[in-house]
Amino acid sequence: DGRPYGAARVLKRSDFEAVFTKERGGWRLLVQIDQVQEGHVLYRQLDPQRQPIGAPRKMSAAILVANFVPEAAAY
């Protein structure tokens, strides 16, 4: 209906660009899946050079599948 929804999520541009990488007119969050177990995945975020940063994180496999695509399929 054109009205704002939810809380505004605004990062400083430098912070945003440190997390997301620009590709083909859009922004991508790069992750590497380390382990899949009991409906969850353990993953690590990657920097623009594809190197792991930070500690592993846990996410529901269903959420990952709904929101991420394999890099090869993104082209």
Side-chain angles (χ1 to χ4, degrees):
D1 64 2
R3 289 184 283 173
Y5 176 80
R9 295 185 178 114
V10 180
L11 294 174
K12 290 188 299 184
R13 185 167 191 89
S14 60
D15 292 341
F16 182 87
E17 290 175 343
V19 174
F20 294 90
T21 184
K22 186 169 183 143
E23 299 208 18
R24 296 190 179 228
W27 293 90
R28 298 175 58 202
L29 176 65
L30 302 174
V31 299
Q32 174 180 312
I33 297 173
D34 291 329
Q35 188 176 38
V36 178
Q37 61 184 16
E38 300 177 11
H40 288 87
V41 294
L42 292 176
Y43 72 96
R44 288 181 288 160
Q45 187 175 324
L46 302 177
D47 67 16
Q49 290 75 41
R50 310 300 198 262
Q51 297 302 308
I53 54 174
R57 299 176 184 179
K58 186 176 183 179
M59 178 188 301
S60 162
I63 292 172
L64 181 114
V65 170
N67 290 285
F68 288 86
V69 295
E71 190 166 16
Y75 298 105

